[in-house]
Amino acid sequence: MSAVTLEPDGGLGLEASARIRHRAAGRVDATVLAWCRWYTADLPDDVASERRAEVASDLYEEREHSGARATGSILGRAIRGIPADLAWRGARLRRAAMGAPRGTFPLAMPALAHLAAIALVAWGGFIVWRVVRSVLIGDWRGAADVAELSVVGLVLALVGSWLLMVARRRAFAGLVLAIAAYLLIRFGTYALMETSVSFTAYFSTSTAQMVLLNRVATGAAVLFFLSMAAWWTAPKAVAEPEPAARPEDGE
């Protein structure tokens, strides 16, 4: 039975079940394309564009052949293909690294930045979780601005981590993460102290050492992310091969 119906104005429409299937198909296709954009975001433009066009073409051909009925097949293939997509990405990154100028560290530097960003997000998430839990059970006695700055720091850490995935935005991501690190370490530590009696007691017995440690950790984290921003802002000079020595006349 056809899902196409005749509209009152003489046009063609879809039955309700068919419209639902087509909306679901659109969401699945958009999800697959978004995943492709994500794992190709920091690859060279030509490589990323070719991969995205390949995935879009594959989706189009399958839709042309099976229509909305292909939704389940596309979703299953996308999930099963995640390891292959990541392996493809790793191979392209290694290929780009082999042709990169010496001293640019195209794999090590992004990996180090991603690990630091993940650690910062984890720290911020832990702090915010403890603050929310403390507020819900009525045990929060700290200043409201400390908790608010911790939440802002976590949001900035998440935004900076997302920006790191785009090669052209990594310098800006470093600046965002530097601000997030300052908020989460400088003020987040005090927010965490207000959620733990044992931490508060330890801080009270070693105030000078804890303050010094807090400031050193804050400064180190901020300098790290600022260095990342400066690294990706500065143009990388490609080393040119030295010209071969010309033989002397008469030799």
Side-chain angles (χ1 to χ4, degrees), residues 51-123:
R51 181 68 169 186
R52 294 168 188 173
E54 177 185 342
V55 172
S57 176
D58 183 63
L59 287 174
Y60 175 79
E61 291 177 0
E62 186 156 357
R63 289 297 181 194
E64 282 291 302
H65 182 265
S66 302
R69 295 190 302 274
T71 300
S73 172
I74 290 174
L75 183 59
R77 287 175 53 202
I79 295 174
R80 293 192 302 271
I82 288 176
D85 292 335
L86 296 178
W88 176 89
R89 167 186 163 81
R92 294 305 181 277
L93 285 173
R94 288 191 296 272
R95 184 179 301 177
M98 292 177 62
R102 295 182 61 184
T104 57
F105 307 107
L107 292 182
M109 295 300 283
L112 183 61
H114 285 306
L115 288 175
I118 291 171
L120 187 63
V121 169
W123 171 251

Side-chain angles (χ1 to χ4, degrees), residues 192-224:
L192 186 62
M193 182 180 67
E194 297 295 339
T195 66
S196 173
V197 176
S198 57
F199 190 27
T200 302
Y202 180 77
F203 188 91
S204 301
T205 58
S206 308
T207 303
Q209 294 87 340
M210 291 298 294
V211 170
L212 178 62
L213 179 61
N214 177 274
R215 292 179 179 177
V216 169
T218 301
V222 170
L223 286 176
F224 172 81

Side-chain angles (χ1 to χ4, degrees), residues 116-130 150 154 157 180-181 183-190 192-193 199 214:
I118 291 171
L120 187 63
V121 169
W123 171 251
F126 176 70
I127 292 172
V128 171
W129 173 74
R130 289 297 300 264
S150 299
L154 176 59
L183 295 177
L184 287 175
I185 300 177
R186 181 75 172 85
F187 299 104
T189 302
Y190 296 113
L192 186 62
M193 182 180 67
F199 190 27
N214 177 274

Side-chain angles (χ1 to χ4, degrees), residues 2 18 23 39 49-51 73 78 80 95 111 113 125 140-142 168 173 200 202 208 210 223 235 238-239:
S2 175
R23 285 198 297 269
Y39 72 78
S49 298
E50 182 179 354
R51 181 68 169 186
S73 172
R80 293 192 302 271
R95 184 179 301 177
W140 175 257
R141 297 293 183 271
R168 292 185 296 272
T200 302
Y202 180 77
M210 291 298 294
L223 286 176
V238 179

